[in-house]
Amino acid sequence: MIDRLAIFGATGDLSARYLLPGLAALRAAGHLGDGFQLTCADLASWDDERFRGWAATQLDRHGTAWPVDAREAIIASARYRRADITDPADVASVIAGAGPVAVYLALPPALFPVAVQALHQAGLPPGSRIVLEKPFGEDLDSAVELNRLLAALVPEEAVFRVDHFLAMSTVQNVLGSRLANRVLEPIWNSTHIAEVEIVWDETLTLEGRASYYDGVGALKDMVQNHLLQLLCLVAMEPPISLGERDLRDRKLDVLQSVRPLTGDDVLRRTRRARYLPGRIGDRDVPAYVDEEGVDPGRRTETFAEIELQLDCWRWSGTTFRLRSGKALGADRKEVAVRFRPVPYVPFGHGGEALPNVLRFGLDPECMTLDLTGIGSHTRTFVPLALTARMEPPDLPAYGRLLLDVLNGDPTLSIRGDEAEEAWRILAPVLSAWSGDLVPLEEYPAGSDGPAPRQPYGADPA
Ligand code: BG6
């Protein structure tokens, strides 16, 4: 296990919300000892004391109730260095020390190439690891270039392109449920499954993240990474083992099987929208374009939806719908596997049997199977739901990811070829959206998203 972690961008939102709480959770669970060294670097001219005070406030704001000594130990282990990631001398002073170091780039994606070059010039100790947040690159070409720079710095197994969804226990449970149960895998194919919806609808709005989000938008923030990774777990062939190579090879197969979207597909099968003013619960929410730091001219979407088909034996004929939006009226975060209707029912004249739906609830974590029953007196169909709540995970997602980084286990991180393949899938969408070929729709904050669309080509009258 590496016992040195250096975080660049350490005073940012990611560090406050996820990295510091993740480290405190690791300490509380006994994974980090007294020898753990944490160097936090950013542009602000702070000293150790100022950083530790800030870290304590963030842990109180974003944390759960850790034992006081775990919280104190993480704060005390942090040293702060003012450093410019583009300056190799600054970078060298942050990573200086005995033995390998794990370097976490909690930075805007546009800085990754220059950061990787600066690390190269600074001289990363042998055995070191590097951690990047999504999106990995900004399109296919920049992802290829970033992978080339990374390959010159460290071996692929030392690159952690983290996707914290993969560290969520329910997300792993999608694959676990398929493979550990006799009843699912025989019907896990297009003969039985009509549609899979992978949905991350949030009531959360921009939450002060314009400097990151306005340059990215929903497609690159959620679909390119989190939702395509979920697609992989739902659709992959059973791997021989859960070792990093077997698992990531099978995920890559899924991405490679996604049918390339034609120009016509992009018009019919993708949607983008952004939110207008509205009310979510008891909060008044301004329009996205009026949020602080947003440049309306960028036409950034806060809602994205795409429909994909897979060209392979198992899935030919099943539709995969991926969707995510911010500032919606209700949280809906789930993978919903919708089965085809039964071929014939000899009773129950009160309507049609509802198709079965298996739902993996991602937040809160649960599983639900929607079934159809028969009302005993009326002989009509009644909906039934079997629900199982999941045990809370032993570690939060970022705790799990950080532990894997320190232990050198890249199984739950994204391999370079997967990242490139994900960009290949989205390339026609990015090009059509940036050329304004697909309308940027609008929806009131607090609503269900943009209104249902007219069928493509239908006369609007
Ligand atoms: C992040 C996205 O990766 O995931 C956010 O950048 C999104 O926009 C978030 O809100 C959702 O995950 P979580 O775990 O923070 O609810």
Side-chain angles (χ1 to χ4, degrees):
M1 183 177 192
I2 287 186
D3 61 1
R4 291 205 297 136
L5 176 67
I7 303 176
F8 287 90
T11 65
D13 184 68
L14 179 73
S15 171
R17 270 179 207 262
Y18 297 114
L19 302 185
L20 292 171
L23 290 170
L26 288 185
R27 174 78 195 201
H31 294 292
L32 299 180
D34 289 339
F36 177 67
Q37 297 167 43
L38 175 64
T39 309
C40 294
D42 216 326
L43 284 172
S45 300
W46 291 3
D47 57 12
D48 289 352
E49 199 187 335
R50 170 111 190 246
F51 181 81
R52 287 176 185 157
W54 176 84
T57 311
Q58 301 312 319
L59 283 173
D60 291 342
R61 248 172 90 188
H62 300 294
T64 39
W66 298 291
V68 174
D69 54 343
R71 177 181 174 284
E72 296 310 317
I74 286 303
I75 294 169
S77 70
R79 295 181 312 149
Y80 182 81
R81 294 285 173 271
R82 200 215 85 89
D84 176 354
I85 187 67
T86 66
D87 179 343
D90 277 11
V91 172
S93 77
V94 174
I95 61 177
V101 58
V103 176
Y104 205 117
L105 301 180
L107 298 167
L111 282 175
F112 290 163
V114 69
V116 173
Q117 279 163 319
L119 282 164
H120 201 68
Q121 287 169 36
L124 203 55
S128 294
R129 299 173 192 142
I130 178 152
V131 191
L132 297 91
E133 275 290 324
K134 51 91 215 197
F136 317 107
E138 296 168 66
D139 53 22
L140 179 55
D141 289 346
S142 57
V144 170
E145 174 59 10
L146 182 57
N147 281 339
R148 192 187 64 76
L149 293 171
L150 286 164
L153 183 66
V154 287
E156 175 62 32
E157 313 77 67
V159 181
F160 290 75
R161 297 174 193 80
V162 302
D163 185 315
H164 77 284
F165 274 41
L166 288 177
M168 291 177 181
S169 50
T170 337
V171 168
Q172 291 170 34
N173 204 37
V174 170
L175 188 59
S177 304
R178 282 181 54 191
L179 302 184
N181 294 291
R182 182 86 200 197
V183 295
L184 291 182
E185 204 50 25
I187 52 169
W188 208 254
N189 53 51
S190 63
T191 307
H192 298 282
I193 295 176
E195 182 184 279
V196 177
E197 260 192 302
I198 302 176
V199 180
W200 189 270
D201 281 358
E202 300 181 297
T203 50
L204 271 189
T205 61
L206 192 56
E207 316 291 325
R209 295 170 72 215
S211 62
Y212 157 74
Y213 192 87
D214 199 41
V216 175
L219 190 71
K220 293 184 187 178
D221 182 48
M222 294 297 299
V223 180
Q224 194 273 346
N225 33 74
H226 302 321
L227 302 193
L228 281 176
Q229 284 294 317
L230 274 163
L231 167 73
C232 288
L233 297 187
V234 173
M236 75 198 288
E237 291 301 322
I240 301 297
S241 79
L242 291 188
E244 62 89 9
R245 204 179 84 185
D246 288 342
L247 188 78
R248 301 198 292 180
D249 281 354
R250 297 291 77 80
K251 286 198 291 161
L252 182 66
D253 290 344
V254 174
L255 296 170
Q256 287 177 333
S257 75
V258 173
R259 184 180 305 163
L261 291 162
T262 63
D264 193 50
D265 289 335
V266 176
L267 294 179
R268 286 193 303 143
R269 300 177 189 276
T270 75
R271 295 185 83 179
R272 60 179 184 141
R274 67 183 173 190
Y275 62 84
L276 293 169
R279 218 174 147 71
I280 305 178
D282 55 6
R283 277 189 303 152
D284 282 323
V285 175
Y288 175 73
V289 292
D290 293 329
E291 297 266 21
E292 200 182 327
V294 167
D295 172 2
R298 285 182 193 264
R299 296 172 61 69
T300 301
E301 79 286 351
T302 59
F303 172 100
E305 182 174 294
I306 64 173
E307 233 178 68
L308 301 173
Q309 309 285 325
L310 306 191
D311 282 332
C312 58
W313 267 79
R314 188 190 281 262
W315 293 118
S316 186
T318 299
T319 298
F320 292 84
R321 181 169 302 112
L322 281 53
R323 146 187 170 136
S324 182
K326 288 201 181 287
L328 295 165
D331 284 319
R332 181 179 164 220
K333 301 170 178 176
E334 65 174 13
V335 174
V337 179
R338 216 170 293 281
F339 290 85
R340 296 191 189 282
V342 289
Y344 169 70
V345 187
F347 46 71
H349 302 293
E352 285 188 12
L354 296 168
N356 300 139
V357 184
L358 178 61
R359 299 174 193 280
F360 296 91
L362 305 175
D363 182 16
E365 307 198 354
C366 62
M367 261 173 89
T368 304
L369 177 59
D370 295 347
L371 297 166
T372 295
I374 297 293
S376 52
H377 299 305
T378 54
R379 289 271 173 120
T380 52
F381 295 115
V382 289
L384 300 174
L386 303 181
T387 299
R389 303 254 160 243
M390 318 302 262
E391 286 283 303
D394 53 346
L395 285 175
Y398 269 91
R400 169 92 265 147
L401 285 173
L402 286 162
L403 187 61
D404 286 353
V405 169
L406 297 172
N407 280 331
D409 179 358
T411 309
L412 297 180
S413 84
I414 296 178
R415 209 167 54 192
D417 48 6
E418 290 179 73
E420 289 178 19
E421 206 53 45
W423 284 116
R424 179 203 51 86
I425 293 167
L426 294 187
V429 187
L430 290 169
S431 138
W433 286 15
S434 66
D436 255 345
L437 298 179
V438 172
L440 178 61
E441 300 174 58
E442 292 181 316
Y443 58 97
S447 69
D448 292 342
R453 191 191 259 179
Q454 291 274 343
Y456 178 66
D459 185 346

